[in-house]
Amino acid sequence: MKEAAVRCGWLVRRICTGADGSRRARVRPRDDRGSATVWVVGLIGALCLLLAGLLLMAQAMLARHRAGAAADLAALAAADHALRGQEFACAGASRVARAQGAEVERCATRGEIADVTVRAREGPMSAAVRSRAGPPGVPGTPGTPEVVG
């Protein structure tokens, strides 16, 4: 049986000649040449999307940690100067937060306790963290752990 290949568009037609001289056509799809390129391009696109998502998550995490550190330091600075007045204490908290690359959103003092909310930005992401600072509580008051020993 002899075979001759003829290409017709997207199909490959095999024309087979039998021993008795009869001819019949057998049609099969074309080979898959070039399909690996399409798969590789799709895989690269998926990896790029995954990497972009991971970078956004990393920026959000970095903004959260920066805001937390800046809020803690700003609250300590405000509590250190709380007895001089709220304006003076909050000005100190703002200076400390700016030095950490953040900004104070809210600052309040009540007695010796300072309550500060700080926002830090990293790329398109931002995070706000609230922190409180003040002197250790007096034993026996609610919310103060008892010292044993």
Side-chain angles (χ1 to χ4, degrees):
M1 181 188 284
K2 287 178 148 182
E3 287 190 6
V6 178
R7 287 192 184 269
C8 297
W10 60 277
L11 294 176
V12 174
R13 182 177 295 161
R14 295 262 182 207
I15 300 173
C16 303
T17 307
D20 60 353
S22 65
R23 297 178 73 163
R24 62 176 192 257
R26 190 173 56 175
V27 178
R28 68 176 177 88
R30 268 172 109 175
D31 59 359
D32 291 335
R33 274 198 248 163
S35 66
T37 303
V38 174
W39 282 102
V40 168
V41 168
L43 183 63
I44 289 172
L47 288 175
C48 286
L49 286 174
L50 179 67
L51 181 63
L54 288 174
L55 287 175
L56 282 175
M57 284 178 44
Q59 285 182 333
M61 192 170 28
L62 184 62
R64 164 63 182 90
H65 286 288
R66 280 190 182 173
D72 289 343
L73 290 173
L76 287 171
D80 190 35
H81 300 291
L83 295 178
R84 291 182 169 178
Q86 182 168 335
E87 287 183 25
F88 188 76
C90 290
S94 292
R95 273 194 313 275
V96 169
R98 276 194 312 271
Q100 297 295 316
E103 59 191 39
V104 173
E105 284 191 341
R106 189 177 76 79
C107 178
T109 58
R110 191 173 68 201
E112 296 177 344
I113 297 173
D115 190 358
V116 179
T117 302
V118 173
R119 178 169 299 278
R121 299 187 188 282
E122 183 63 38
M125 309 308 263
S126 69
V129 176
R130 178 179 174 225
S131 185
R132 293 178 53 155
V138 178
T141 59
T144 304
E146 296 294 326
V147 178
V148 178

